[in-house]
Amino acid sequence: AFIGYDVIANAAEECENPSRDLPRAMIMALMTCAVLYVCVCLVLCGMQTFSSIDTSAPVSTTFELAGLPWVVSVVDVGSFAGMVTGLLAGIYGQSRIYFAMSRDGMAPSWLQEAPTCAC
C-alpha cells in the first residue's frame, strides 16, 4: 500500500538539499498514505459491518451494495491509474539505479548516456 520510498531515494541526486528534503519527503509520503488508508477504512466500516466487507474488492463491493454504481466506476478507474503510476515510478527508479551503477563501473558505460530526443 505504501509506494514511493524507492523513487524518492533514487531521485536524491536531483534535490538541492538532500539531507533536508529526503527525510521530509519520506515522512510526508508515509503520513499521507497512512491518513488516506485510515480514512478509507473508516468510510468502509461506516458503510458496512467489519465482518461483512468483501476482502477481494472491498471498496468496489461496498459502494455497489450501497447502490452507487458510478462510484464503483470511479474507484476502478482510480485503481487502474494507481497501478500505472506505480509501474511508471518503478521504471523511473530502475533507470536511476542503472545510471548510478554505470557511473560506478558496475554496469556498461552506455547506460550513462541519455538520448537527446525520443525520435
Side-chain angles (χ1 to χ4, degrees), residues 59-82:
V59 181
S60 295
T61 305
T62 300
F63 282 109
E64 187 175 337
L65 293 175
L68 298 166
W70 65 272
V71 178
V72 174
S73 299
V74 171
V75 168
D76 291 344
V77 169
S79 297
F80 178 74

Side-chain angles (χ1 to χ4, degrees), residues 8-65:
I8 293 171
N10 288 330
E13 292 181 6
E14 297 166 12
C15 293
E16 290 180 17
N17 188 356
S19 62
R20 180 197 68 191
D21 296 338
L22 286 179
R24 286 183 183 177
M26 288 188 183
I27 289 170
M28 291 304 294
L30 176 63
M31 291 186 66
T32 301
C33 289
V35 167
L36 289 173
Y37 192 80
V38 168
C39 288
V40 169
C41 290
L42 290 173
V43 168
L44 290 181
C45 287
M47 293 175 72
Q48 278 188 304
T49 60
F50 178 75
S51 59
S52 66
I53 293 176
D54 182 19
T55 57
S56 63
V59 181
S60 295
T61 305
T62 300
F63 282 109
E64 187 175 337
L65 293 175

Side-chain angles (χ1 to χ4, degrees), residues 4 26 40 62 94 104 106 111:
M26 288 188 183
V40 169
T62 300
Q94 190 64 43
D104 293 340
M106 294 185 287
L111 290 173

